[in-house]
Amino acid sequence: MRVFEIQENFGLENLKMSDRGKPKPGPGQAVVAVRAVSLNYRDLMMIRGHYNPRQPLPLIPCSDGVGEVVALGEGVTRLEVGQRVAGAFSQSWIGGPPDAGKLKMTLGGPIDGMLAEEICLDAEGLVPVPEYLSDTEASCLPCAALTAWSALVEQGNVGPGDRVLVLGSGGVSVFALQIARMLGAEVIATSSSEEKRSRLEELGAAATINYAQTPKWSKEVRRLTGGRGVDHVVEVGGSGTLEESLRSVRTGGAVSVIGVLSGISSPLNIIPILMQHLRLQGILVGSREGFEHMNRAFEMHRIRPVIDRVFGFEESVEAFRYFERGSHLGKVCISLVD
Ligand SMILES: NC(=O)c1ccc[n+]([C@@H]2O[C@H](COP(=O)([O-])OP(=O)(O)OC[C@H]3O[C@@H](n4cnc5c(N)ncnc54)[C@H](OP(=O)(O)O)[C@@H]3O)[C@@H](O)[C@H]2O)c1
C-alpha cells in the first residue's frame, strides 16, 4: 500500500512516497480505499513543522479525503462495504460542544492522514458524503467546508439579509462565500488579484476589494455598508488582518477567528472589542454531527465545491508546491483514481 509520508525531518523536500502494510480493521474500525484528497493550509504547516514542531514522524499528512469502505471490523453497523465516506477531521468529536479530549485526535497530525491508498479509522469517525458530488468535490468537505459552516451556521447564526466579509480566495473563504449566499446573506470578499475578484463576483460576492491595493480595506467595507460595518467576518488572515477585520464589523457583530495566513501574533488594540461589544469566536473545524448537518444542506442546495486544479497521486509533492504559491482559487485536490 503506497503512502506519502513526512519522513525523518520536516519540509516539503522530505515528503516521500513509501510502502506500508495493508491495514486490517480491528473491532469497530473500517478500512477505506482513498479516492481523492484535498489540500489545506494546515497540511502545508504540518509538513513544514510549523503546526506542531513536536509532531512525531513519520506522518502521513492531509486532513481531507474521501474513499470507499472496503473492509469492516467486528461490530460495525453504521457503515457498509462499498459506501463512499470522508474522514471526520476531529475523529473523536461526534457532537456537542468541544472539549480537550474531542479536539485531540485530528487527521493529518497528530494521527496519520489521508494521503495514502488505504486508511483504517474508527467507523464512528467516518461520514457518508452526498452522492451528487464527484470524489474530488466530496474530498473538499471535511475541513475547509465544515470550518466555514461552523463559523457561519453552528456559531455565527448568520441569516438572510446579514452581511458577511470573507478574506482572500482560498478554500475556507470560497466555501464561506457559497454558504453565506445559501443562507441569504450578502458577501463582500477581498483578494490580492484582479482576476480572482471577477471570479468571486461570478460566485456571488456583491462587492470585492483588492486588499493589496487598499491596505486599509476596512474603510472600503464601511463605505460599502453605509458606515455600519458587516455582521460577520470570516477571519482567515491572522495577525496581519485581524485589526482591519475588527474595524470592518458592526457594533455587536462577530469575527470568526480561523486562520493565520499572515502570521500568528502582533500587538492588538482591544478597545474596539469592548467598546463595540464585538464577539471573537475561535473555530476549530467542527464536529461529525456538524458535518452531517452541512451535508444535508449542501445536498438540498446542490452546493458544488470550487476546485482550482487536480493532481495525480504520484504528483502529490508538485500539488503542494502549486498550493504553496497561493495562485489557486478554492481547492487543490489529488485524485487517486484517474
Ligand atoms: N481553525 C480552523 O478550523 C481552520 C480550518 C481550515 C483552515 N484554517 C486556516 O485558515 C486559513 C486559510 O486556510 P485555507 O486552507 O483556506 O488556505 P488557502 O486555500 O491556502 O488560502 C490561500 C489564499 O488566502 C489568501 N490570503 C493569503 N494571505 C492573505 C491575507 N494577508 N489577507 C487576505 N487573504 C490572504 C490568498 O487569496 P488571494 O490570492 O485572493 O489574495 C490566498 O490565495 C489558514 O491559516 C488555515 O490554517 C483554519
Side-chain angles (χ1 to χ4, degrees):
M1 198 253 316
R2 296 179 305 164
V3 306
F4 272 90
E5 54 184 23
I6 317 162
Q7 295 184 325
E8 279 146 42
N9 296 298
F10 292 110
L12 197 42
E13 65 284 6
N14 297 311
L15 181 66
K16 299 269 160 64
M17 190 187 269
S18 78
D19 265 307
R20 289 202 191 175
K22 262 179 120 44
K24 281 208 183 98
Q29 293 182 322
V31 174
V32 174
V34 179
R35 299 172 70 91
V37 169
S38 78
L39 306 189
N40 289 292
Y41 192 73
R42 177 185 193 270
D43 304 324
L44 199 54
M45 290 171 74
M46 194 64 78
I47 291 170
R48 288 173 176 159
H50 296 168
Y51 194 92
N52 175 13
R54 292 193 298 276
Q55 166 68 44
L57 299 179
L59 173 77
I60 300 173
C62 292
S63 307
D64 277 2
V66 76
E68 187 182 326
V69 176
V70 291
L72 292 173
E74 211 184 296
V76 178
T77 51
R78 65 183 297 272
L79 297 174
E80 284 170 15
V81 168
Q83 208 169 3
R84 201 170 60 141
V85 292
F89 172 74
S90 294
Q91 283 285 294
S92 42
W93 187 7
I94 304 300
D99 61 33
K102 290 178 182 177
L103 300 182
K104 248 187 206 159
M105 300 282 286
T106 52
L107 285 183
I111 62 173
D112 277 331
M114 302 293 295
L115 199 50
E117 287 179 315
E118 289 191 357
I119 184 167
C120 182
L121 292 170
D122 198 302
E124 293 294 324
L126 292 165
V127 179
V129 290
E131 276 180 22
Y132 75 95
L133 296 175
S134 69
D135 291 333
T136 43
E137 286 171 336
S139 77
C140 302
L141 301 179
C143 189
L146 183 56
T147 300
W149 172 268
S150 299
L152 297 174
V153 180
E154 309 273 337
Q155 298 293 333
N157 209 19
V158 168
D162 283 346
R163 289 178 172 133
V164 172
L165 173 66
V166 304
L167 307 184
S169 58
V172 174
S173 300
V174 172
F175 271 120
L177 190 169
Q178 292 177 291
I179 293 168
R181 296 290 293 121
M182 180 185 89
L183 298 168
E186 188 177 286
V187 176
I188 300 174
T190 70
S191 177
S192 58
S193 145
E194 289 300 300
E195 212 180 309
K196 289 182 178 181
R197 280 178 69 188
S198 310
R199 183 82 182 100
L200 292 168
E201 284 165 18
E202 279 166 23
L203 287 166
T208 56
I209 304 166
N210 188 322
Y211 67 83
Q213 288 170 7
T214 313
K216 300 276 180 212
W217 37 267
S218 62
K219 287 191 180 156
E220 185 59 9
V221 174
R222 290 262 165 202
R223 192 190 66 75
L224 287 164
T225 54
R228 183 171 184 261
V230 294
D231 299 281
H232 199 113
V233 182
V234 179
E235 169 43 70
V236 296
S239 61
T241 56
L242 185 56
E243 198 114 21
E244 282 299 292
S245 291
L246 294 174
R247 291 201 176 104
S248 300
V249 73
R250 71 162 166 85
T251 302
V255 177
S256 289
V257 181
I258 293 174
V260 293
L261 286 166
S262 61
I264 57 169
S265 70
S266 67
L268 177 70
N269 178 3
I270 60 166
I271 296 299
I273 303 173
L274 57 102
M275 291 302 282
Q276 288 168 47
H277 227 267
L278 304 184
R279 187 161 68 88
L280 269 71
Q281 172 67 59
I283 298 286
L284 188 66
V285 189
S287 67
R288 192 192 86 193
E289 285 176 8
F291 191 175
E292 290 161 344
H293 186 191
M294 176 186 79
N295 284 347
R296 289 194 295 277
F298 275 25
E299 192 142 27
M300 239 190 277
H301 292 268
R302 287 296 193 261
I303 300 288
R304 298 208 92 101
V306 176
I307 295 179
D308 177 275
R309 196 162 157 189
V310 181
F311 290 81
F313 186 54
E314 291 79 7
E315 301 169 314
S316 292
V317 175
E318 217 179 312
F320 272 107
R321 295 246 178 258
Y322 176 74
F323 182 77
E324 74 179 345
R325 287 206 290 275
S327 60
H328 60 281
L329 184 146
K331 298 295 292 176
V332 175
C333 297
I334 293 170
S335 171
L336 284 84
V337 289
D338 19 76

